[in-house]
Amino acid sequence: MGTLSAPTLEEITRLCISRGFIFPSGRIYGGLAGFFDYGPLGAEMRLEVLNDWWYYFVRRRDDIVGIYGSIITHPRTWEASGHVDSFIDYLVICKRCGLEYRADHLLEDSGLEVKELTAEYLSEAIKQYGIKCPKCDGELSEPVPFNLMFSTYVGPKQTKANLAYLRPETAQLIFTNFRDICITARLKLPFGVAQVGKAFRNEISPRNFTFRAREFEQMEIEYFVNPKKLNDCPYWDEVREVRVNILSAEMQERGVKDAKTITLEEAFELGLISTKWHAYWIAESLKWLWRIGLRKERLRIREHVKTELAHYAVQTFDVEYYFPYMGWKEIEGISNRTDYDLKRHQEYSGKDMSVLDDETKVIPHVIEPSFGLDRVILALITDAYRIIGGRRVLSLHARVAPIKVGVYPIVTKEPFVRKAREVYGMLKERFTALYDEKGSIGRRYARADEAGVPLGVTIDGQTLEDDTVTIRFRDTREQIRVKIPALTQKIAEILDHWDEYSTSHNT
Ligand code: GAP
C-alpha cells in the first residue's frame, strides 16, 4: 500500500477549500488577509476538536473548571498584563514599493537565525546581510515596534477614554475573573481554569494559510499552584515515564538541531524542565495530541531561548508539529507564568488576588498550556493527508472526523434508495452522517475518503435478501457485513475503538 504523506501547502489549501473545510474570508471580494471562515466540514471538525479538548481537560477532571469570557475587554486589563507596552513585533517598510514586513521573518526567510528580537539587533542584521525587499529589491526602513493588539471604541465617541482592545489572548479573562471564579466554584489549590475562544492579533505578515492568522481561536488553561509546591504533583506517577522529543534552550545554544528522546522524569532530573507541574502539563498536552491522532514522531517540545521568552514567562516549551511544507512549527505554548499576571492585576486593580492554602495566604503560580485551535486543525489535516494506492485519503482519526459515516445505495434505484434513506435516518440520530446517491459508487467513496469520513455503509442486493449492509473502512477499503438492527451498535463500537480498528495510523 503506497503511502505519501508530505503534502505541499498548496495541496492542503486546495483540499480545504474544495472540500469545504476552510475558506479565505471574503473570497468573493478577493479575501481579507489573515481571516478565515470554516465551511460545512470545517465547522463540524472544529466542534469535534474543541469538544474533545473540553472533555479531556475539563469535564473528565475534578480540578479544572471552564469560563467563557468577552472578546472586547477592559483596557486596564492590557495595561496590567504588559501587552500595551510589550506585545510588539518589529516592522520594516520597503522605501520603494511601500510593502510592509515583519523584520524577523524577513531574516528567517533568507535562511538566517534570529538570535534577538530587538530593534538594534534586527537593524544590524538587515544591514550586515544586505536584506532587501523580496518584491522589488528596494531598500528597507529601520525596524519600528508595532503593537499587535486590535483596538476599537466602546460607544459613539471615538476618544482615548473610550478605547478598548480585542483580546490578543484568552488567558487574561481568567486572571481578571480569578476572584469570582475561586469563590463561586469553591476551588482549592491546585486547580485550573479553562477557556476556548477567539483571539485577535494584527499580525504584520499573516501567512501559511490559517497558521498565522489575524483572528484565530485559542484553547487555554491557567493551572494555579502554591508557589511552595511547584514539585508536589499528585499525578507525577502517571506521567514520569512518558517519552518526549525535547530540544532544550541549552541544546539550541550549542547548535544542536535535532531533539533527543527522553522520559519526563529524566528531563526533570536533568533540570531541563524546571518544575514537575510544568512537566506534567507537557505530558497531558502530548497525550491529548496523540489521542486525536497526531503522529508521535512529528511532535516535539522546544524550549524558548532567553531572547524568545514572552514578557510574562520564566520558562516556555512550545509543542511543535513537523509541517512538511514549513518545518517544525508551534501549535501550542506551555509557559510558566509564575505569579506575574495575578500580581500585576492586584497592583492595577487594588483587589486582593491571594487564596488560602494550608491556612496561609498565597498568590498562586501559573502553568499555562495554550493551544491554537486553528493550528491544531491544520496539523491534523496535514497529518491525515495520504495517497493510498493512488487514492487521496484524509485519514483523520475518527474522534475528530467531521462526518463519521456515509450511507450509500449501491445504485440510485428503488428499492435501494428507500432502504438507504431508512438506514441514514436511523444512523443520523446517533452520528454525524451523510447520505450520497450521486454518481458511481466509486466516485461517492472517493468523495467521502477526501472528506475524511471513516466509515461507509452500503445498501446492496444482499441487503434486500437478508437485511445486512456492508461497512467499508476508509483507509483499508476492507468491508464487513452487519445486520441492520445491530448497525448502530457496531458503528459506535468501531468509532470508540478506532485505534484498534484502523491500521492506517501506524503508517
Ligand atoms: N496565552 C499565551 C499565548 O497566547 P502564544 O504562544 O502567543 O501564547 C498560544 O499563543 C497559541 O495560540 C499558539 O501556540 C498558537 O497555536 C496560537 N496562535 C498564536 N498566534 C496565532 C496566529 N497569529 N494565528 C493562529 N494561531 C495563533
Side-chain angles (χ1 to χ4, degrees), residues 83 87 168-172 201 203 210-220 222 304 312 316 318-319 330-335 337 368 370-376:
H83 283 76
F87 199 54
E169 61 168 7
T170 61
Q172 290 305 322
R201 296 181 190 178
E203 297 281 354
T210 56
F211 183 82
R212 190 168 302 286
R214 288 178 165 139
E215 174 176 339
F216 54 94
E217 231 164 339
Q218 292 187 316
M219 306 184 289
E220 299 201 296
E222 306 304 317
H304 279 199
Y312 49 72
T316 296
D318 283 345
V319 175
E330 171 190 356
I331 57 172
E332 181 201 359
I334 311 171
S335 290
R337 289 180 86 128
E368 176 197 63
S370 170
F371 296 80
L373 176 55
D374 312 82
R375 287 191 187 176
V376 169

mmCIF file of all heavy atoms in Angstrom, residues 83 87 168-172 201 203 210-220 222 304 312 316 318-319 330-335 337 368 370-376, ligand 1:
data_model
loop_
_atom_site.group_PDB
_atom_site.id
_atom_site.type_symbol
_atom_site.label_atom_id
_atom_site.label_comp_id
_atom_site.label_asym_id
_atom_site.label_seq_id
_atom_site.Cartn_x
_atom_site.Cartn_y
_atom_site.Cartn_z
ATOM 1 N N HIS A 83 0.675 43.927 27.917
ATOM 2 C CA HIS A 83 0.537 43.867 26.460
ATOM 3 C C HIS A 83 0.616 45.248 25.802
ATOM 4 O O HIS A 83 1.104 45.368 24.687
ATOM 5 C CB HIS A 83 -0.776 43.175 26.081
ATOM 6 C CG HIS A 83 -0.712 41.681 26.222
ATOM 7 N ND1 HIS A 83 -0.768 41.058 27.443
ATOM 8 C CD2 HIS A 83 -0.572 40.694 25.301
ATOM 9 C CE1 HIS A 83 -0.677 39.754 27.261
ATOM 10 N NE2 HIS A 83 -0.557 39.505 25.982
ATOM 11 N N PHE A 87 3.633 43.897 23.807
ATOM 12 C CA PHE A 87 3.148 42.935 22.811
ATOM 13 C C PHE A 87 3.424 43.474 21.405
ATOM 14 O O PHE A 87 2.538 43.948 20.705
ATOM 15 C CB PHE A 87 1.662 42.677 23.019
ATOM 16 C CG PHE A 87 1.196 41.414 22.359
ATOM 17 C CD1 PHE A 87 1.819 40.200 22.615
ATOM 18 C CD2 PHE A 87 0.137 41.435 21.483
ATOM 19 C CE1 PHE A 87 1.402 39.044 21.996
ATOM 20 C CE2 PHE A 87 -0.302 40.271 20.861
ATOM 21 C CZ PHE A 87 0.338 39.085 21.122
ATOM 22 N N PRO A 168 -5.902 39.813 22.735
ATOM 23 C CA PRO A 168 -4.893 39.115 21.933
ATOM 24 C C PRO A 168 -4.599 37.714 22.477
ATOM 25 O O PRO A 168 -3.876 36.931 21.845
ATOM 26 C CB PRO A 168 -3.658 40.006 22.067
ATOM 27 C CG PRO A 168 -3.827 40.664 23.397
ATOM 28 C CD PRO A 168 -5.293 40.797 23.650
ATOM 29 N N GLU A 169 -5.110 37.399 23.657
ATOM 30 C CA GLU A 169 -5.046 36.043 24.213
ATOM 31 C C GLU A 169 -6.273 35.900 25.107
ATOM 32 O O GLU A 169 -6.751 36.896 25.667
ATOM 33 C CB GLU A 169 -3.757 35.809 25.028
ATOM 34 C CG GLU A 169 -3.601 36.730 26.220
ATOM 35 C CD GLU A 169 -2.495 36.339 27.198
ATOM 36 O OE1 GLU A 169 -1.724 35.420 26.915
ATOM 37 O OE2 GLU A 169 -2.439 36.965 28.275
ATOM 38 N N THR A 170 -6.776 34.665 25.235
ATOM 39 C CA THR A 170 -7.956 34.487 26.089
ATOM 40 C C THR A 170 -7.556 34.484 27.567
ATOM 41 O O THR A 170 -8.366 34.755 28.451
ATOM 42 C CB THR A 170 -8.703 33.173 25.754
ATOM 43 O OG1 THR A 170 -7.829 32.068 25.975
ATOM 44 C CG2 THR A 170 -9.195 33.162 24.326
ATOM 45 N N ALA A 171 -6.302 34.185 27.835
ATOM 46 C CA ALA A 171 -5.805 33.960 29.194
ATOM 47 C C ALA A 171 -6.176 35.062 30.189
ATOM 48 O O ALA A 171 -6.561 34.771 31.331
ATOM 49 C CB ALA A 171 -4.283 33.829 29.155
ATOM 50 N N GLN A 172 -6.085 36.329 29.760
ATOM 51 C CA GLN A 172 -6.270 37.413 30.742
ATOM 52 C C GLN A 172 -7.652 37.415 31.365
ATOM 53 O O GLN A 172 -7.835 37.890 32.490
ATOM 54 C CB GLN A 172 -5.978 38.779 30.102
ATOM 55 C CG GLN A 172 -4.525 39.014 29.780
ATOM 56 C CD GLN A 172 -3.599 38.838 30.976
ATOM 57 O OE1 GLN A 172 -3.924 39.202 32.110
ATOM 58 N NE2 GLN A 172 -2.441 38.266 30.741
ATOM 59 N N ARG A 201 -4.951 39.243 16.677
ATOM 60 C CA ARG A 201 -3.627 39.877 16.624
ATOM 61 C C ARG A 201 -3.442 40.475 15.232
ATOM 62 O O ARG A 201 -3.614 39.760 14.239
ATOM 63 C CB ARG A 201 -2.501 38.862 16.898
ATOM 64 C CG ARG A 201 -2.582 38.312 18.291
ATOM 65 C CD ARG A 201 -1.476 37.333 18.603
ATOM 66 N NE ARG A 201 -1.783 36.683 19.879
ATOM 67 C CZ ARG A 201 -1.071 35.749 20.450
ATOM 68 N NH1 ARG A 201 0.051 35.333 19.870
ATOM 69 N NH2 ARG A 201 -1.431 35.219 21.602
ATOM 70 N N GLU A 203 -1.370 40.770 12.999
ATOM 71 C CA GLU A 203 -0.082 40.262 12.527
ATOM 72 C C GLU A 203 0.402 41.089 11.332
ATOM 73 O O GLU A 203 -0.382 41.387 10.419
ATOM 74 C CB GLU A 203 -0.218 38.795 12.095
ATOM 75 C CG GLU A 203 -0.601 37.830 13.209
ATOM 76 C CD GLU A 203 0.577 37.444 14.094
ATOM 77 O OE1 GLU A 203 1.717 37.839 13.791
ATOM 78 O OE2 GLU A 203 0.338 36.752 15.109
ATOM 79 N N THR A 210 -3.992 29.131 7.495
ATOM 80 C CA THR A 210 -4.506 29.524 8.824
ATOM 81 C C THR A 210 -3.407 29.565 9.879
ATOM 82 O O THR A 210 -3.681 29.906 11.027
ATOM 83 C CB THR A 210 -5.580 28.530 9.304
ATOM 84 O OG1 THR A 210 -5.005 27.218 9.297
ATOM 85 C CG2 THR A 210 -6.798 28.572 8.409
ATOM 86 N N PHE A 211 -2.173 29.183 9.506
ATOM 87 C CA PHE A 211 -1.155 29.058 10.542
ATOM 88 C C PHE A 211 -0.918 30.386 11.250
ATOM 89 O O PHE A 211 -0.847 30.444 12.483
ATOM 90 C CB PHE A 211 0.171 28.519 9.976
ATOM 91 C CG PHE A 211 1.187 28.321 11.055
ATOM 92 C CD1 PHE A 211 1.156 27.170 11.821
ATOM 93 C CD2 PHE A 211 2.115 29.299 11.359
ATOM 94 C CE1 PHE A 211 2.053 26.993 12.868
ATOM 95 C CE2 PHE A 211 3.008 29.133 12.406
ATOM 96 C CZ PHE A 211 2.975 27.976 13.157
ATOM 97 N N ARG A 212 -0.745 31.447 10.498
ATOM 98 C CA ARG A 212 -0.589 32.767 11.133
ATOM 99 C C ARG A 212 -1.731 33.653 10.661
ATOM 100 O O ARG A 212 -1.699 34.205 9.576
ATOM 101 C CB ARG A 212 0.770 33.391 10.793
ATOM 102 C CG ARG A 212 1.061 34.626 11.610
ATOM 103 C CD ARG A 212 2.495 35.071 11.481
ATOM 104 N NE ARG A 212 3.445 34.049 11.867
ATOM 105 C CZ ARG A 212 3.703 33.679 13.120
ATOM 106 N NH1 ARG A 212 3.115 34.272 14.112
ATOM 107 N NH2 ARG A 212 4.576 32.718 13.373
ATOM 108 N N ALA A 213 -2.766 33.728 11.474
ATOM 109 C CA ALA A 213 -3.962 34.481 11.113
ATOM 110 C C ALA A 213 -4.073 35.718 12.007
ATOM 111 O O ALA A 213 -3.312 35.876 12.965
ATOM 112 C CB ALA A 213 -5.186 33.589 11.290
ATOM 113 N N ARG A 214 -5.002 36.591 11.658
ATOM 114 C CA ARG A 214 -5.217 37.780 12.496
ATOM 115 C C ARG A 214 -6.365 37.556 13.476
ATOM 116 O O ARG A 214 -6.454 38.234 14.489
ATOM 117 C CB ARG A 214 -5.477 38.996 11.599
ATOM 118 C CG ARG A 214 -4.196 39.438 10.888
ATOM 119 C CD ARG A 214 -4.420 40.601 9.962
ATOM 120 N NE ARG A 214 -3.156 41.216 9.595
ATOM 121 C CZ ARG A 214 -2.836 41.651 8.376
ATOM 122 N NH1 ARG A 214 -3.712 41.531 7.389
ATOM 123 N NH2 ARG A 214 -1.672 42.213 8.147
ATOM 124 N N GLU A 215 -7.240 36.623 13.123
ATOM 125 C CA GLU A 215 -8.308 36.209 14.034
ATOM 126 C C GLU A 215 -8.203 34.698 14.135
ATOM 127 O O GLU A 215 -8.188 34.022 13.105
ATOM 128 C CB GLU A 215 -9.664 36.624 13.464
ATOM 129 C CG GLU A 215 -10.829 36.115 14.272
ATOM 130 C CD GLU A 215 -12.186 36.609 13.761
ATOM 131 O OE1 GLU A 215 -12.234 37.636 13.047
ATOM 132 O OE2 GLU A 215 -13.185 35.961 14.089
ATOM 133 N N PHE A 216 -8.097 34.180 15.342
ATOM 134 C CA PHE A 216 -7.928 32.737 15.500
ATOM 135 C C PHE A 216 -8.513 32.336 16.843
ATOM 136 O O PHE A 216 -8.964 33.189 17.611
ATOM 137 C CB PHE A 216 -6.445 32.343 15.396
ATOM 138 C CG PHE A 216 -5.542 33.095 16.343
ATOM 139 C CD1 PHE A 216 -5.207 32.566 17.580
ATOM 140 C CD2 PHE A 216 -5.049 34.343 16.002
ATOM 141 C CE1 PHE A 216 -4.385 33.263 18.453
ATOM 142 C CE2 PHE A 216 -4.234 35.054 16.880
ATOM 143 C CZ PHE A 216 -3.896 34.511 18.103
ATOM 144 N N GLU A 217 -8.494 31.026 17.085
ATOM 145 C CA GLU A 217 -9.112 30.572 18.327
ATOM 146 C C GLU A 217 -8.079 29.892 19.219
ATOM 147 O O GLU A 217 -7.238 29.143 18.723
ATOM 148 C CB GLU A 217 -10.237 29.586 17.998
ATOM 149 C CG GLU A 217 -11.517 29.947 18.672
ATOM 150 C CD GLU A 217 -12.708 29.237 18.080
ATOM 151 O OE1 GLU A 217 -12.646 28.780 16.929
ATOM 152 O OE2 GLU A 217 -13.703 29.133 18.775
ATOM 153 N N GLN A 218 -8.180 30.171 20.497
ATOM 154 C CA GLN A 218 -7.273 29.534 21.458
ATOM 155 C C GLN A 218 -8.049 28.605 22.385
ATOM 156 O O GLN A 218 -9.244 28.811 22.644
ATOM 157 C CB GLN A 218 -6.564 30.593 22.304
ATOM 158 C CG GLN A 218 -5.582 31.430 21.500
ATOM 159 C CD GLN A 218 -4.776 32.362 22.380
ATOM 160 O OE1 GLN A 218 -5.319 32.999 23.281
ATOM 161 N NE2 GLN A 218 -3.484 32.465 22.119
ATOM 162 N N MET A 219 -7.358 27.589 22.879
ATOM 163 C CA MET A 219 -7.904 26.706 23.919
ATOM 164 C C MET A 219 -6.844 26.765 25.024
ATOM 165 O O MET A 219 -5.742 26.251 24.839
ATOM 166 C CB MET A 219 -8.049 25.283 23.382
ATOM 167 C CG MET A 219 -8.868 25.218 22.089
ATOM 168 S SD MET A 219 -9.162 23.542 21.473
ATOM 169 C CE MET A 219 -7.548 23.064 20.902
ATOM 170 N N GLU A 220 -7.175 27.476 26.111
ATOM 171 C CA GLU A 220 -6.145 27.755 27.112
ATOM 172 C C GLU A 220 -6.559 27.274 28.503
ATOM 173 O O GLU A 220 -7.743 27.286 28.845
ATOM 174 C CB GLU A 220 -5.875 29.264 27.197
ATOM 175 C CG GLU A 220 -5.365 29.860 25.901
ATOM 176 C CD GLU A 220 -4.634 31.186 26.109
ATOM 177 O OE1 GLU A 220 -5.286 32.146 26.549
ATOM 178 O OE2 GLU A 220 -3.437 31.260 25.823
ATOM 179 N N GLU A 222 -5.236 27.977 32.559
ATOM 180 C CA GLU A 222 -4.310 28.540 33.555
ATOM 181 C C GLU A 222 -4.410 27.597 34.746
ATOM 182 O O GLU A 222 -5.490 27.451 35.333
ATOM 183 C CB GLU A 222 -4.699 29.970 33.953
ATOM 184 C CG GLU A 222 -4.867 30.939 32.791
ATOM 185 C CD GLU A 222 -3.651 31.051 31.880
ATOM 186 O OE1 GLU A 222 -2.524 31.105 32.419
ATOM 187 O OE2 GLU A 222 -3.818 31.060 30.647
ATOM 188 N N HIS A 304 11.901 27.740 24.701
ATOM 189 C CA HIS A 304 12.256 29.074 24.205
ATOM 190 C C HIS A 304 13.645 29.439 24.720
ATOM 191 O O HIS A 304 13.943 29.250 25.904
ATOM 192 C CB HIS A 304 11.272 30.125 24.743
ATOM 193 C CG HIS A 304 9.992 30.177 23.963
ATOM 194 N ND1 HIS A 304 9.140 31.247 24.001
ATOM 195 C CD2 HIS A 304 9.438 29.289 23.107
ATOM 196 C CE1 HIS A 304 8.116 31.013 23.211
ATOM 197 N NE2 HIS A 304 8.253 29.829 22.676
ATOM 198 N N TYR A 312 5.984 37.728 30.194
ATOM 199 C CA TYR A 312 5.399 37.182 31.426
ATOM 200 C C TYR A 312 6.005 35.842 31.843
ATOM 201 O O TYR A 312 5.664 35.311 32.885
ATOM 202 C CB TYR A 312 3.886 37.018 31.257
ATOM 203 C CG TYR A 312 3.494 36.290 29.972
ATOM 204 C CD1 TYR A 312 3.699 34.925 29.823
ATOM 205 C CD2 TYR A 312 2.931 36.976 28.900
ATOM 206 C CE1 TYR A 312 3.356 34.271 28.657
ATOM 207 C CE2 TYR A 312 2.576 36.321 27.719
ATOM 208 C CZ TYR A 312 2.794 34.972 27.607
ATOM 209 O OH TYR A 312 2.467 34.320 26.450
ATOM 210 N N THR A 316 9.307 28.539 28.875
ATOM 211 C CA THR A 316 8.239 28.154 27.935
ATOM 212 C C THR A 316 8.730 27.014 27.062
ATOM 213 O O THR A 316 9.873 27.025 26.590
ATOM 214 C CB THR A 316 7.844 29.340 27.023
ATOM 215 O OG1 THR A 316 7.301 30.383 27.827
ATOM 216 C CG2 THR A 316 6.806 28.937 25.979
ATOM 217 N N ASP A 318 7.419 25.167 23.575
ATOM 218 C CA ASP A 318 6.430 25.078 22.505
ATOM 219 C C ASP A 318 6.274 23.621 22.144
ATOM 220 O O ASP A 318 7.269 22.892 22.046
ATOM 221 C CB ASP A 318 6.921 25.812 21.244
ATOM 222 C CG ASP A 318 6.789 27.320 21.381
ATOM 223 O OD1 ASP A 318 6.074 27.778 22.304
ATOM 224 O OD2 ASP A 318 7.382 28.038 20.560
ATOM 225 N N VAL A 319 5.021 23.179 21.950
ATOM 226 C CA VAL A 319 4.827 21.891 21.307
ATOM 227 C C VAL A 319 4.839 22.195 19.820
ATOM 228 O O VAL A 319 4.027 22.989 19.337
ATOM 229 C CB VAL A 319 3.499 21.228 21.719
ATOM 230 C CG1 VAL A 319 3.288 19.934 20.933
ATOM 231 C CG2 VAL A 319 3.489 20.943 23.213
ATOM 232 N N GLU A 330 5.239 25.862 15.978
ATOM 233 C CA GLU A 330 4.469 25.820 17.233
ATOM 234 C C GLU A 330 2.971 25.628 16.999
ATOM 235 O O GLU A 330 2.370 26.363 16.220
ATOM 236 C CB GLU A 330 4.688 27.154 17.959
ATOM 237 C CG GLU A 330 3.786 27.350 19.159
ATOM 238 C CD GLU A 330 3.829 28.774 19.723
ATOM 239 O OE1 GLU A 330 4.620 29.611 19.233
ATOM 240 O OE2 GLU A 330 3.061 29.039 20.665
ATOM 241 N N ILE A 331 2.396 24.636 17.699
ATOM 242 C CA ILE A 331 0.930 24.559 17.706
ATOM 243 C C ILE A 331 0.385 24.830 19.114
ATOM 244 O O ILE A 331 -0.788 25.084 19.286
ATOM 245 C CB ILE A 331 0.393 23.207 17.165
ATOM 246 C CG1 ILE A 331 0.945 22.005 17.931
ATOM 247 C CG2 ILE A 331 0.711 23.067 15.683
ATOM 248 C CD1 ILE A 331 0.276 20.684 17.540
ATOM 249 N N GLU A 332 1.272 24.753 20.112
ATOM 250 C CA GLU A 332 0.869 25.031 21.497
ATOM 251 C C GLU A 332 2.065 25.602 22.238
ATOM 252 O O GLU A 332 3.203 25.184 21.977
ATOM 253 C CB GLU A 332 0.439 23.719 22.189
ATOM 254 C CG GLU A 332 -0.025 23.915 23.611
ATOM 255 C CD GLU A 332 0.026 22.637 24.452
ATOM 256 O OE1 GLU A 332 0.410 21.578 23.936
ATOM 257 O OE2 GLU A 332 -0.289 22.729 25.647
ATOM 258 N N GLY A 333 1.812 26.526 23.159
ATOM 259 C CA GLY A 333 2.873 27.000 24.044
ATOM 260 C C GLY A 333 2.529 26.592 25.473
ATOM 261 O O GLY A 333 1.357 26.664 25.862
ATOM 262 N N ILE A 334 3.520 26.125 26.220
ATOM 263 C CA ILE A 334 3.258 25.762 27.626
ATOM 264 C C ILE A 334 4.232 26.567 28.478
ATOM 265 O O ILE A 334 5.433 26.277 28.500
ATOM 266 C CB ILE A 334 3.441 24.248 27.872
ATOM 267 C CG1 ILE A 334 2.672 23.445 26.814
ATOM 268 C CG2 ILE A 334 2.972 23.866 29.279
ATOM 269 C CD1 ILE A 334 2.963 21.958 26.842
ATOM 270 N N SER A 335 3.688 27.573 29.163
ATOM 271 C CA SER A 335 4.558 28.523 29.865
ATOM 272 C C SER A 335 4.422 28.429 31.367
ATOM 273 O O SER A 335 3.341 28.143 31.892
ATOM 274 C CB SER A 335 4.193 29.963 29.469
ATOM 275 O OG SER A 335 4.552 30.200 28.148
ATOM 276 N N ARG A 337 4.189 31.023 33.952
ATOM 277 C CA ARG A 337 3.953 32.473 34.028
ATOM 278 C C ARG A 337 4.147 32.986 35.451
ATOM 279 O O ARG A 337 3.864 34.154 35.720
ATOM 280 C CB ARG A 337 2.533 32.815 33.570
ATOM 281 C CG ARG A 337 2.294 32.663 32.090
ATOM 282 C CD ARG A 337 0.854 33.009 31.682
ATOM 283 N NE ARG A 337 0.668 34.408 31.431
ATOM 284 C CZ ARG A 337 0.123 34.932 30.316
ATOM 285 N NH1 ARG A 337 -0.313 34.158 29.362
ATOM 286 N NH2 ARG A 337 -0.003 36.234 30.169
ATOM 287 N N GLU A 368 0.690 27.385 32.129
ATOM 288 C CA GLU A 368 -0.321 27.682 31.103
ATOM 289 C C GLU A 368 -0.128 26.871 29.820
ATOM 290 O O GLU A 368 0.729 27.184 29.005
ATOM 291 C CB GLU A 368 -0.251 29.166 30.737
ATOM 292 C CG GLU A 368 -1.189 29.547 29.615
ATOM 293 C CD GLU A 368 -0.850 30.875 28.994
ATOM 294 O OE1 GLU A 368 0.248 31.018 28.419
ATOM 295 O OE2 GLU A 368 -1.674 31.786 29.092
ATOM 296 N N SER A 370 -1.357 26.453 26.293
ATOM 297 C CA SER A 370 -2.154 27.310 25.407
ATOM 298 C C SER A 370 -2.108 26.774 23.981
ATOM 299 O O SER A 370 -1.086 26.870 23.297
ATOM 300 C CB SER A 370 -1.585 28.737 25.465
ATOM 301 O OG SER A 370 -2.167 29.538 24.479
ATOM 302 N N PHE A 371 -3.227 26.192 23.549
ATOM 303 C CA PHE A 371 -3.306 25.600 22.204
ATOM 304 C C PHE A 371 -3.966 26.577 21.244
ATOM 305 O O PHE A 371 -4.907 27.273 21.621
ATOM 306 C CB PHE A 371 -4.207 24.351 22.199
ATOM 307 C CG PHE A 371 -3.734 23.194 23.023
ATOM 308 C CD1 PHE A 371 -3.931 23.157 24.393
ATOM 309 C CD2 PHE A 371 -3.139 22.098 22.411
ATOM 310 C CE1 PHE A 371 -3.534 22.069 25.147
ATOM 311 C CE2 PHE A 371 -2.735 20.994 23.157
ATOM 312 C CZ PHE A 371 -2.932 20.990 24.530
ATOM 313 N N GLY A 372 -3.502 26.567 19.998
ATOM 314 C CA GLY A 372 -4.220 27.275 18.940
ATOM 315 C C GLY A 372 -5.096 26.264 18.224
ATOM 316 O O GLY A 372 -4.585 25.308 17.632
ATOM 317 N N LEU A 373 -6.408 26.466 18.293
ATOM 318 C CA LEU A 373 -7.340 25.507 17.684
ATOM 319 C C LEU A 373 -7.116 25.404 16.174
ATOM 320 O O LEU A 373 -7.088 24.307 15.602
ATOM 321 C CB LEU A 373 -8.781 25.938 18.000
ATOM 322 C CG LEU A 373 -9.922 25.130 17.389
ATOM 323 C CD1 LEU A 373 -9.820 23.656 17.715
ATOM 324 C CD2 LEU A 373 -11.268 25.657 17.878
ATOM 325 N N ASP A 374 -6.927 26.550 15.521
ATOM 326 C CA ASP A 374 -6.754 26.529 14.061
ATOM 327 C C ASP A 374 -5.459 25.822 13.668
ATOM 328 O O ASP A 374 -5.401 25.111 12.665
ATOM 329 C CB ASP A 374 -6.755 27.959 13.516
ATOM 330 C CG ASP A 374 -7.920 28.748 14.075
ATOM 331 O OD1 ASP A 374 -7.799 29.252 15.223
ATOM 332 O OD2 ASP A 374 -8.946 28.823 13.413
ATOM 333 N N ARG A 375 -4.415 26.013 14.479
ATOM 334 C CA ARG A 375 -3.149 25.333 14.161
ATOM 335 C C ARG A 375 -3.260 23.837 14.403
ATOM 336 O O ARG A 375 -2.681 23.034 13.666
ATOM 337 C CB ARG A 375 -2.007 25.923 14.998
ATOM 338 C CG ARG A 375 -1.617 27.292 14.504
ATOM 339 C CD ARG A 375 -0.327 27.768 15.137
ATOM 340 N NE ARG A 375 -0.069 29.141 14.760
ATOM 341 C CZ ARG A 375 0.938 29.867 15.217
ATOM 342 N NH1 ARG A 375 1.793 29.339 16.077
ATOM 343 N NH2 ARG A 375 1.108 31.108 14.817
ATOM 344 N N VAL A 376 -4.010 23.440 15.437
ATOM 345 C CA VAL A 376 -4.201 22.003 15.684
ATOM 346 C C VAL A 376 -4.956 21.399 14.495
ATOM 347 O O VAL A 376 -4.601 20.329 13.987
ATOM 348 C CB VAL A 376 -4.947 21.767 17.021
ATOM 349 C CG1 VAL A 376 -5.382 20.310 17.155
ATOM 350 C CG2 VAL A 376 -4.064 22.155 18.206
HETATM 351 N N1 GAP B 1 -1.699 32.936 26.465
HETATM 352 C C1 GAP B 1 -0.455 32.567 25.875
HETATM 353 C C2 GAP B 1 -0.384 32.811 24.457
HETATM 354 O O1 GAP B 1 -1.258 33.431 23.861
HETATM 355 P P1 GAP B 1 1.049 32.297 22.338
HETATM 356 O O2 GAP B 1 2.190 31.353 22.166
HETATM 357 O O3 GAP B 1 1.206 33.696 21.865
HETATM 358 O O4 GAP B 1 0.708 32.257 23.885
HETATM 359 C C3 GAP B 1 -0.706 30.410 22.021
HETATM 360 O O5 GAP B 1 -0.228 31.676 21.648
HETATM 361 C C4 GAP B 1 -1.144 29.631 20.801
HETATM 362 O O6 GAP B 1 -2.068 30.405 20.024
HETATM 363 C C5 GAP B 1 -0.002 29.314 19.849
HETATM 364 O O7 GAP B 1 0.675 28.137 20.235
HETATM 365 C C6 GAP B 1 -0.729 29.139 18.534
HETATM 366 O O8 GAP B 1 -1.215 27.819 18.411
HETATM 367 C C7 GAP B 1 -1.895 30.100 18.651
HETATM 368 N N2 GAP B 1 -1.595 31.322 17.893
HETATM 369 C C8 GAP B 1 -0.861 32.375 18.292
HETATM 370 N N3 GAP B 1 -0.795 33.311 17.323
HETATM 371 C C9 GAP B 1 -1.514 32.830 16.277
HETATM 372 C C10 GAP B 1 -1.833 33.324 14.975
HETATM 373 N N4 GAP B 1 -1.428 34.521 14.574
HETATM 374 N N5 GAP B 1 -2.586 32.560 14.163
HETATM 375 C C11 GAP B 1 -3.030 31.336 14.566
HETATM 376 N N6 GAP B 1 -2.764 30.830 15.790
HETATM 377 C C12 GAP B 1 -2.025 31.559 16.634
#
